[in-house]
Amino acid sequence: MPNQPRRSRLIVPSRSGHAIHLFLAALTLLAISANAAEVIPATPSAYFNDYAGVVSKEAASRFNEQLAQFERDTSDQVVVAVFPKMQSGSDIADYTQRVAQAWGVGQKERRNGVVLFVFIEDRKMFIQVGYGLEGALPDATTFDITERHMKPLFRAGNYEAGLATGIDLICKAIRGEYKGSGKTGAEGKGGGGVFGLLPFITFIIVLIIISRLFRKLGGYGYSSRGGGPVFIPSGGGWSSGGGSGGGFSGFGGGGGSFGGGGAGSSW
């Protein structure tokens, strides 16, 4: 008999295999959407940042100056960020570690930064500790601070007292680990305060004068309406409604590293 042409076999995936593929695809989409929805807040321009408005401006200013002086004395940077809610679907420990790392709190060579995160609507808080302070501020200590000392005050609605307690205990735990220079990082670089802006302001004034002279002489100016170019310098980060002062102008000179050390609580 002549050879019959061999029929190719059509392999049909099983229902279970198809379901597994759909499940993996769904997990991938969920992971992508979760990462897309996550927001890393801009680097703040102060030590104490109350984006949720839970303390008075006077208290915010007091906390900010306390933390600025603490950096002068110890070189440690302790930053507090109070948000309305967490802008991520991730675990709070993972999310705050990414934020703290992005901000670069602490000195690069000492990695001596600490960030206290509070999310009011989520009723969660977490203390992230830089590598250089994990010995002085281990996980057990950070959990004790949030769980035994801050949590009862937050539950009672006394956020100002809870934050004051947390700040005091964090500073007490890490004081003496390093010695400060008597200046904050920004003050040491001459970038703090209004005087750091004087060269920039002078440059802008000179540009305005030159542009006006050009118009009088029939030349070209920078603006058809007159008045020359105007640039408005703005500080980094979000507007916190309180917490300015202390010579702090962001973490531009920082570079502290965070490896996930720390702990937190819910209230």
Side-chain angles (χ1 to χ4, degrees):
M1 294 180 62
N3 292 332
Q4 297 291 331
R6 184 175 297 177
R7 296 181 180 178
S8 60
R9 297 178 61 189
L10 178 63
I11 300 175
V12 180
S14 64
R15 291 185 178 179
S16 60
H18 186 63
I20 291 173
H21 290 152
L22 287 176
F23 178 70
L24 292 175
L27 285 180
T28 303
L29 288 174
L30 284 174
I32 293 173
S33 61
N35 290 332
E38 182 170 285
V39 175
I40 300 296
T43 303
S45 58
Y47 297 93
F48 185 87
N49 306 272
D50 179 15
Y51 303 117
V54 295
V55 303
S56 65
K57 289 185 177 181
E58 292 75 16
S61 180
R62 186 174 68 251
F63 290 147
N64 195 71
E65 178 54 35
Q66 176 186 350
L67 295 173
Q69 187 59 46
F70 187 73
E71 184 185 357
R72 296 185 189 106
D73 296 339
T74 67
S75 80
D76 301 328
Q77 286 187 351
V78 179
V79 173
V80 179
V82 184
F83 294 99
K85 64 182 300 182
M86 196 166 68
Q87 299 184 78
S88 173
S90 299
D91 175 76
I92 186 173
D94 294 336
Y95 176 61
T96 54
Q97 189 271 333
R98 287 193 290 275
V99 176
Q101 183 67 32
W103 290 355
V105 184
Q107 297 182 0
K108 186 176 182 180
E109 63 276 11
R110 292 181 171 179
R111 301 184 292 183
N112 54 343
V114 179
V115 187
L116 167 59
F117 291 94
V118 178
F119 302 98
I120 299 299
E121 294 179 22
D122 300 306
R123 302 180 74 84
K124 294 179 180 179
M125 56 182 150
F126 201 95
I127 300 174
Q128 283 288 344
V129 183
Y131 281 115
L133 291 174
E134 287 183 351
L137 196 59
D139 295 356
T141 302
T142 53
F143 181 73
D144 182 74
I145 292 172
T146 59
E147 184 71 16
R148 293 186 56 234
H149 298 278
M150 297 180 67
K151 180 176 178 175
L153 293 168
F154 279 11
R155 277 188 169 178
N158 196 342
Y159 293 108
E160 185 172 321
L163 289 163
T165 299
I167 291 170
D168 289 342
L169 291 174
I170 290 171
C171 292
K172 181 180 179 181
I174 62 178
R175 183 179 289 277
E177 198 72 5
Y178 299 100
K179 184 174 177 58
S181 64
K183 295 182 179 181
T184 67
E187 290 168 347
K189 294 181 179 180
V194 175
F195 293 103
L197 292 174
L198 283 179
F200 176 78
I201 295 173
T202 302
F203 175 71
I204 296 305
I205 292 174
V206 171
L207 281 181
I208 293 172
I209 293 173
I210 291 174
S211 66
R212 287 179 175 172
L213 287 174
F214 263 103
R215 280 195 301 277
K216 288 181 179 179
L217 295 173
Y220 295 98
Y222 289 96
S223 170
S224 60
R225 295 184 179 181
V230 178
F231 301 91
I232 302 176
S234 59
W238 299 0
S239 174
S240 63
S244 60
F248 186 76
S249 60
F251 301 107
S257 300
F258 292 79
S265 300
S266 300
W267 72 91

